[in-house]
Amino acid sequence: MHFINPKTDFAFKRIFGGEHSKDILISFLNALLYQDQPVIADLEILNPWQAPQIRGIKDTYLDIKARTASGDTVIIEMQVLNVEGFEKRILYNAAKAYSFQLATGEDYSLINPVIALTITDFVLFPEFPGLLSRFILKEKEFLLDYPIHDLELVFVELPKFDKALDSLTHAWEKWLYFLKHARTLDSIPQALRDPGELQKAFEIANESNLSREELDELEKREMFIHDQRNAIRKALNQGRLEGKEEGLREGKEEGFREGEEKGIRTGLIRQIHFSQKLLRLPLTTETVLQKRSTRELTELSKKLEQELLDSGNSGQ
């Protein structure tokens, strides 16, 4: 028995947004958003297209979009690659789902809350130790909550989840284990047969239940992810090589020994800047970098390189 990778967009939509996936999606959302509490009793899976009501506004397509019985809209996305503009796209899609609820002339009181749940296969907030983070509107200086919590961004960072199979106790832990490890399993572990919706998810993810066309589509998506990961690795290697070569050329003008040291430092600094730009991290100032020892720069370079590769890791 083999299971498709739930982290690819094709598989994720098939498992959680398919025609017969309502019970699976309810269980999944209650586990991740409400710590296993049955807050969502029913929902309707909606067309994931967010077509504009105003000419000139961009079309968007979500992985999954649903409306709960209480009227809340939930949009769910699985993001494997840390691509440029990702954070802005999440905010744009959430704001669009919120603002497009009203038709012309309708009262603002009719707008219902929107929750944007995003699962990432890379570390998005390295400074934050938790694997689940929730963002709402707050006053900038005193962190006072906005009077209503109608727009909420929820992120789950899969790489931060490291529980072993025999230590899973909560439903949310089991769902995350399924997302992260289903591809590597050859049977449904007994520990993952409860809740029952999780077993249904495994059945949908069983490769034997897919048509030849569906398997071909899944293979194309996995190849795309691999290609993007390799592109990141190639860009990193090229930036490192160019930085070191330029640093060595500049440094050798000051003498062989001093030039070699300066060349190594300059190359490392350029590589660090290159990696930070790809990771979209705040750039450390040149002055601070120059004050670090070569050993510290080397360690920082290796750390950033690993983060960059992890951001392109498809989890295969």
Side-chain angles (χ1 to χ4, degrees):
M1 184 181 296
H2 296 284
F3 302 103
I4 58 179
N5 183 3
K7 291 182 286 188
T8 61
D9 55 356
F10 172 83
F12 190 81
K13 294 170 192 174
R14 178 181 175 86
I15 294 168
F16 296 102
E19 187 177 339
H20 305 292
S21 299
K22 186 171 79 169
D23 291 344
I24 295 173
L25 186 58
I26 290 174
S27 175
F28 180 74
L29 293 177
N30 279 331
L32 267 64
L33 295 178
Y34 303 111
Q35 292 73 52
D36 303 338
Q37 298 302 310
V39 174
I40 300 175
D42 196 11
L43 57 73
E44 176 189 5
I45 297 177
L46 306 173
N47 186 337
W49 279 105
Q50 294 200 131
Q53 297 174 345
I54 302 173
R55 181 179 298 177
I57 294 181
K58 181 180 177 65
D59 277 346
T60 51
Y61 186 80
L62 306 165
D63 283 347
I64 300 168
K65 183 178 182 181
R67 182 169 53 238
T68 68
S70 62
D72 294 359
T73 297
V74 184
I75 56 180
I76 309 105
E77 292 201 62
M78 176 73 228
Q79 186 72 20
V80 173
L81 297 170
N82 192 3
V83 296
E84 186 69 31
F86 159 67
E87 297 91 340
K88 289 183 179 292
R89 177 167 59 81
I90 295 299
L91 185 59
Y92 177 80
N93 285 339
K96 192 173 182 180
Y98 186 74
S99 63
F100 279 13
Q101 294 181 55
L102 292 184
T104 303
E106 290 185 326
D107 192 86
Y108 291 113
S109 62
L110 298 175
I111 299 178
N112 290 310
V114 170
I115 300 175
L117 171 62
T118 305
I119 301 101
T120 66
D121 198 29
F122 51 87
V123 174
L124 184 60
F125 307 111
E127 70 283 1
F128 180 69
L131 64 88
L132 186 144
S133 52
R134 311 180 80 120
F135 294 85
I136 57 174
L137 293 175
K138 287 181 176 290
E139 198 281 329
K140 186 174 182 179
E141 183 175 354
F142 295 99
L143 301 182
L144 176 70
D145 286 353
Y146 194 68
I148 57 173
H149 293 171
D150 271 12
L151 197 60
E152 183 175 6
L153 307 182
V154 183
F155 295 91
V156 177
E157 301 169 83
L158 278 182
K160 293 182 179 179
F161 179 75
D162 57 2
K163 278 209 166 188
L165 183 61
D166 58 4
S167 65
L168 305 178
T169 55
H170 302 289
W172 67 267
E173 296 173 334
K174 297 175 182 180
W175 277 113
L176 292 185
Y177 192 94
F178 166 76
L179 286 178
K180 191 169 183 178
H181 299 291
R183 179 64 169 168
T184 65
L185 301 174
D186 55 15
S187 63
I188 306 175
Q190 187 61 40
L192 298 183
R193 294 178 182 270
D194 182 35
E197 291 79 16
L198 187 53
Q199 185 169 345
K200 293 180 183 178
F202 269 108
E203 293 170 359
I204 295 175
N206 190 339
E207 279 190 359
S208 63
N209 294 328
L210 272 67
S211 68
R212 182 67 260 171
E213 292 76 15
E214 290 172 327
L215 288 172
D216 288 342
E217 179 63 25
L218 179 62
E219 184 179 3
K220 290 178 183 177
R221 297 306 302 163
E222 291 179 336
M223 287 177 62
F224 171 79
I225 292 170
H226 280 300
D227 288 345
Q228 293 300 305
R229 181 181 59 187
N230 289 334
I232 290 173
R233 181 180 288 111
K234 181 177 180 180
L236 174 62
N237 290 336
Q238 182 177 351
R240 179 174 55 206
L241 179 61
E242 291 177 357
K244 287 183 177 179
E245 288 178 349
E246 186 171 347
L248 284 171
R249 284 196 302 269
E250 292 179 3
K252 285 180 179 178
E253 295 176 1
E254 298 184 8
F256 180 76
R257 181 174 297 178
E258 293 181 0
E260 184 178 27
E261 172 68 15
K262 181 179 178 181
I264 292 173
R265 290 179 57 82
T266 304
L268 286 170
I269 289 169
R270 291 181 183 275
Q271 180 191 349
I272 289 167
H273 277 296
F274 181 81
S275 300
Q276 287 176 312
K277 286 178 181 178
L278 285 180
L279 289 165
R280 301 190 302 285
L281 297 174
L283 287 176
T284 306
T285 65
E286 189 73 16
T287 302
V288 173
L289 286 178
Q290 289 289 2
K291 289 181 179 179
R292 296 196 181 195
S293 67
T294 302
R295 179 178 60 81
E296 290 174 326
L297 289 172
T298 302
E299 291 176 355
L300 178 59
S301 172
K302 290 180 179 179
K303 180 177 181 294
L304 287 170
E305 179 177 352
Q306 187 58 52
E307 289 182 12
L308 188 58
L309 293 178
D310 287 344
S311 74
N313 188 354
S314 66
Q316 302 301 313

